[in-house]
Amino acid sequence: QTGLMSEDGAIELHRGGYSIEPVVLLDDATRATWADVHLTQHLRDGYLPVPSVHWQHAAFSLTVEAAADGIRDQTQLLARYQLRNNDNRPRTFTLLLAVRPWQVNPPQQFLATPGGASPIDRLNLSGATLTVNSRPPVIFSSIPTRASAQPFEAGLNLDALMHATPLTTMRDAQRHASAALQFRVTLAPGATHTIAWASPLDSPRAATVAAVDARIDMIAQHWRQRLNRVKVKLPTESQALVDTLRTSLAHILISRDGPALRPGTRAYARSWVRDGAMMVAGLVRTGETGVAREFVDWYATYIFASGKVPCCVDPRGADPVVENDSHGQFIFMVAELWRHTHDRASLERHWPAIKRVLAWQEALRQTERGDNNRSHDRKHLFGLMPPSISHEGYADKPAYSYWDNFWALRGYKDAVQIAGALQRDTEVARWSAWRDEYSRELIVSLVATAAHHRIEYLAGAADRGDFDPTSTTIALSPGNAETILPNKLLAATFERYWQETLARAAGGREWKDYTPYEWRNVSAFVRLGSAERAHAIAAFFFKHQRPPGWNQWAEVVLPNPREVRFLGDMPHAWVSSDYIGATLDLFAYEREFDEALVIGAGWKSAWLRDGIEVAGLSTAYGVLDYQLTPTADGWTLLLPRSLEARGGVRLRWPGNAQTPHAVSNGQPLMWEGRELIISKLPASIVLSRPQ
């Protein structure tokens, strides 16, 4: 089960469940709700998944903090309300906690878990323990000063609810009862008082303020350890980049259901292989290989006997809908996990499935290599994956999506690597031939599609000729196909995206919404050598975190954040995985064509002033640590670990200034353009500003 907190401070206690909403009554009977205060939102330490909402009022302040206690034998939802007297005289306040028959998840959220109303047909209060329906109880830290309740027929008005029938037990035939629990306290100037509650999913236990405080502190410490396996140190002005990186990892972990990785806990409470593939990539880079392995092993059990990989899995089982990105994504997950763990047993375990899946993918490819696709008006479709609706923009009609095809190419390449690692020479030879033929025909198709539709960019789908750079990014990461893509079309694609983003950010181009999957474009610009553009795009995205203090984006970002529209889940773990991938690429990424590890490609020139530190970042070539430290006449770059990158480490120097002189162990190092070649590790490199 998962709770959900609103940016106003209401807490939904379980999926689809009722909510508890705070209200503050002043001694002069003035009532203050979320609409009467200045609201700000925070995470503990700036990044931990322990959210809070702060109410600021002339007379008082209220901080609502919530946490999920996930230790298996002590599973519970926790909340604390700290009320402070801001006046210069003693004041009497009443914290009213309204039990409401509606979710935090609003009605416009219609997928999977329809938002809006939530039935309350039975209420019982015994001392400090409130039971709603047959759900686990809510145990308060003290007995309410007054408690009242009313059925739905009496309305939802707070004034009436406050003075309604005292609550012991109530049943509501219309199943939408409400309750108000009042906690009255007199506070000296500057004094605070805390009310807390716990809702345990197992055996009830006391919920004193001290006990809740201790548990939340313990939860925070757990997350500090979990989210700092990779450490990134940047100048203070870029701390939001680092904090959001750590919070994004937490989003993936808290959205799980056992081994199943899910993009959300309400609208998207099911597992897609495409979302999972990107999450696995983020998990292994941040040291969460155990979570990644659990998901890969679990998802493998749902592959059809034919080798078809289901697009998604939910409690009903595998979804048979045809989505032709799935096969490459499953193979990629297996290979990516192996690249970071070198766990041969895992490869052996999945080898039978890999053979079935690749055979299925190859059979799909062959269906599009017939005479029908050799005619003049269809030759641009030759050799592609058949049409599917894996790309959400093509739900109206299956399309020859290049999203599918870039993932298929990734699958062919990874299958060959897996076969090689297992010394399956027969499969290496056969699959290499498939990979190479497919790669050639894919590039021919890209060029032919541009000609067919008379466009100057890489199309999103061969039959549509649409512009979709965020989909195209898959060709770069994880596709690593930049060296074979048509250069002119590739450059034009991201030049157009850049110009449109500039116009959107400056207000010169109207937009009704966007999805933060666009974070993939940040990674694309880093890999294409345009770090300045990558950071400018990132700055635009950061303006739309909602709320900013919670380090998250809605799946659908709107110009007016309070517009009543479907937003997807918040947080959205697939969006978070895109953020993780794009952000880590700023510091290091693997380059496939020369088997090099590229560092620094996304550094800001401004970071050179204070230095940069990265530790514990997992790569396909080993764990990467590095530290760039400013000196009087330049910098020292320390790379303390050995890495197995055949192409060595390549430092790409930021900005347009002349590259520094580089010396390691008394020997000068060579630059290729703006890339420094580092072939021997460990290394301590002295970088001197040119005179």
Side-chain angles (χ1 to χ4, degrees):
Q1 287 289 353
T2 55
L4 192 65
M5 190 175 191
S6 83
E7 57 194 53
D8 302 323
I11 300 173
E12 176 186 308
L13 276 75
H14 58 91
R15 181 182 174 190
Y18 68 95
S19 57
I20 295 179
E21 175 186 343
V23 179
V24 176
L25 308 176
L26 283 67
D27 49 7
D28 59 1
T30 302
R31 186 179 70 210
T33 71
W34 62 268
D36 305 306
V37 298
H38 176 68
L39 293 163
T40 54
Q41 297 80 20
H42 310 272
L43 297 176
R44 189 175 285 204
D45 295 359
Y47 70 93
L48 300 173
V50 180
S52 61
V53 176
H54 184 75
W55 291 19
Q56 189 64 35
H57 186 276
F60 70 90
S61 59
L62 174 69
T63 299
V64 184
E65 188 175 44
D69 192 348
I71 298 173
R72 290 183 184 274
D73 61 350
Q74 292 183 336
T75 304
Q76 56 188 337
L77 188 65
L78 304 170
R80 59 197 298 271
Y81 303 79
Q82 187 176 69
L83 184 65
R84 183 182 189 274
N85 180 9
N86 290 340
D87 210 336
N88 56 8
R89 62 181 178 87
R91 298 286 297 262
T92 298
F93 301 94
T94 298
L95 175 65
L96 185 153
L97 297 180
V99 179
R100 297 296 220 171
W102 54 71
Q103 308 166 48
V104 162
N105 200 33
Q108 63 268 25
Q109 298 289 96
F110 56 85
L111 282 180
T113 305
S118 179
I120 296 181
D121 54 21
R122 187 168 64 257
L123 291 162
N124 178 267
L125 180 67
S126 177
T129 299
L130 174 71
T131 304
V132 180
N133 301 332
S134 57
R135 300 294 308 178
V138 181
I139 305 169
F140 293 88
S141 56
S142 60
I143 297 174
T145 308
R146 187 179 193 279
S148 54
Q150 64 186 19
F152 182 65
E153 64 182 12
L156 297 168
N157 182 273
L158 270 177
D159 289 327
L161 179 61
M162 289 164 49
H163 301 96
T165 304
L167 173 61
T168 52
T169 298
M170 171 174 284
R171 291 181 178 272
D172 182 10
Q174 293 179 294
R175 305 186 67 211
H176 285 90
S178 299
L181 283 70
Q182 300 180 42
F183 301 85
R184 187 174 176 85
V185 61
T186 299
L187 296 176
T192 63
H193 181 73
T194 300
I195 298 292
W197 55 255
S199 182
L201 292 179
D202 46 24
S203 56
R205 48 193 174 275
T208 66
V209 170
V212 171
D213 285 350
R215 293 305 304 177
I216 294 178
D217 288 345
M218 183 180 294
I219 293 163
Q221 182 58 25
H222 160 78
W223 283 112
R224 287 188 194 99
Q225 296 170 353
R226 191 81 183 258
L227 301 179
N228 283 287
R229 293 172 177 173
V230 174
K231 296 182 180 178
V232 178
K233 185 177 181 181
L234 294 175
T236 303
E237 61 267 22
S238 294
Q239 188 60 39
L241 193 78
V242 179
D243 286 343
T244 301
L245 176 66
R246 294 181 287 191
T247 307
S248 294
L249 175 58
H251 292 161
I252 296 175
L253 297 174
I254 64 179
S255 298
R256 287 196 301 157
D257 180 10
L261 298 175
R262 305 179 302 174
T265 63
R266 300 298 192 270
Y268 298 110
R270 60 198 314 218
S271 292
W272 280 265
V273 66
R274 60 173 166 269
D275 303 45
M278 302 297 276
M279 290 186 221
V280 163
L283 288 168
V284 295
R285 294 176 80 180
T286 52
E288 289 284 353
T289 55
V291 174
R293 182 181 291 107
E294 283 185 23
F295 176 72
V296 174
D297 290 349
W298 173 79
Y299 208 92
T301 64
Y302 290 94
I303 295 174
F304 295 103
S306 63
K308 177 182 176 180
V309 178
C311 62
C312 62
V313 175
D314 62 21
R316 297 170 298 180
D319 193 324
V321 171
V322 174
E323 297 192 5
N324 290 327
D325 57 343
S326 303
H327 318 99
Q329 288 155 354
F330 176 76
I331 298 171
F332 165 75
M333 289 195 304
V334 174
E336 188 73 352
L337 181 60
W338 174 76
R339 283 188 283 263
H340 285 258
T341 64
H342 297 287
D343 181 0
R344 184 183 176 92
S346 177
L347 287 191
E348 294 279 11
R349 187 165 63 252
H350 292 296
W351 176 246
I354 294 295
K355 290 194 295 182
R356 298 199 324 271
V357 170
L358 194 69
W360 178 263
Q361 179 174 288
E362 174 64 10
L364 291 174
R365 179 175 81 96
Q366 291 299 332
T367 65
E368 298 295 331
R369 299 185 75 247
D371 291 340
N372 183 50
N373 283 342
R374 295 182 186 273
S375 62
H376 176 73
D377 62 338
R378 291 185 61 86
K379 64 181 181 181
H380 58 298
L381 309 177
F382 184 85
L384 298 180
M385 289 293 108
S388 88
I389 60 168
S390 59
H391 185 302
E392 293 178 0
Y394 306 147
D396 60 326
K397 180 184 177 182
Y400 285 92
S401 169
Y402 283 117
W403 167 275
D404 287 356
N405 287 277
F406 294 139
W407 275 113
L409 178 60
R410 183 71 264 166
Y412 280 116
K413 292 196 290 186
D414 285 340
V416 171
Q417 187 177 32
I418 291 169
L422 294 177
Q423 299 175 315
R424 303 302 207 272
D425 295 341
T426 300
E427 283 81 3
V428 168
R430 182 189 310 122
W431 295 353
S432 294
W434 293 352
R435 175 200 63 197
D436 295 345
E437 183 178 66
Y438 178 71
S439 179
R440 290 192 299 270
E441 292 175 355
L442 175 58
I443 302 310
V444 168
S445 171
L446 288 166
V447 175
T449 292
H452 178 81
H453 293 285
R454 298 181 181 180
I455 57 177
E456 297 180 349
Y457 50 81
L458 294 169
D463 53 335
R464 300 193 182 203
D466 53 327
F467 180 67
D468 189 358
T470 302
S471 175
T472 304
T473 59
I474 295 300
L476 303 176
S477 176
N480 263 287
E482 58 266 36
T483 59
I484 63 172
L485 293 172
N487 285 334
K488 187 176 180 180
L489 295 175
L490 177 64
T493 300
F494 290 101
E495 179 62 29
R496 175 175 166 179
Y497 176 78
W498 167 245
Q499 295 299 332
E500 290 184 357
T501 301
L502 277 181
R504 184 172 51 173
R509 180 173 183 264
E510 290 187 7
W511 56 281
K512 67 174 185 177
D513 56 40
Y514 74 85
T515 58
Y517 304 132
E518 289 191 37
W519 269 104
R520 298 180 205 132
N521 291 282
V522 171
S523 178
F525 278 110
V526 168
R527 290 168 181 260
L528 293 172
S530 298
E532 295 83 0
R533 291 184 173 187
H535 283 287
I537 294 167
F540 173 73
F541 297 153
F542 264 104
K543 292 178 181 178
H544 302 123
Q545 284 187 323
R546 179 179 177 183
W550 284 353
N551 302 347
Q552 66 182 16
W553 288 267
E555 184 196 24
V556 182
V557 173
L558 308 174
N560 174 9
R562 287 277 180 165
E563 180 183 349
V564 179
R565 286 261 308 275
F566 176 80
L567 300 176
D569 278 312
M570 294 172 64
H572 193 285
W574 192 18
V575 167
S576 296
S577 74
D578 286 328
Y579 178 83
I580 291 172
T583 301
L584 292 181
D585 279 1
L586 299 175
F587 305 102
Y589 68 86
E590 298 101 350
R591 191 165 63 193
E592 190 173 89
F593 79 88
D594 60 355
E595 297 184 79
L597 182 65
V598 180
I599 66 172
W603 289 355
K604 275 187 173 182
S605 297
W607 293 348
L608 301 180
R609 181 187 66 250
D610 297 316
I612 304 160
E613 185 174 351
V614 173
L617 177 57
S618 180
T619 77
Y621 308 124
V623 176
L624 173 68
D625 297 345
Y626 66 74
Q627 185 173 359
L628 183 79
T629 305
T631 62
D633 58 356
W635 304 266
T636 298
L637 176 63
L638 180 64
L639 289 156
R641 297 190 195 230
S642 296
L643 295 166
E644 300 298 324
R646 293 184 183 180
V649 173
R650 300 292 188 106
L651 168 63
R652 187 181 297 170
W653 197 247
N656 297 316
Q658 187 177 349
T659 53
H661 301 298
V663 176
S664 179
N665 297 324
Q667 298 297 316
L669 300 180
M670 300 297 295
W671 291 86
E672 283 186 0
R674 301 193 67 77
E675 286 191 1
L676 181 67
I677 306 169
I678 307 170
S679 56
K680 292 184 179 180
L681 294 177
S684 179
I685 301 166
V686 176
L687 299 162
S688 304
R689 293 185 179 89
Q691 300 298 319

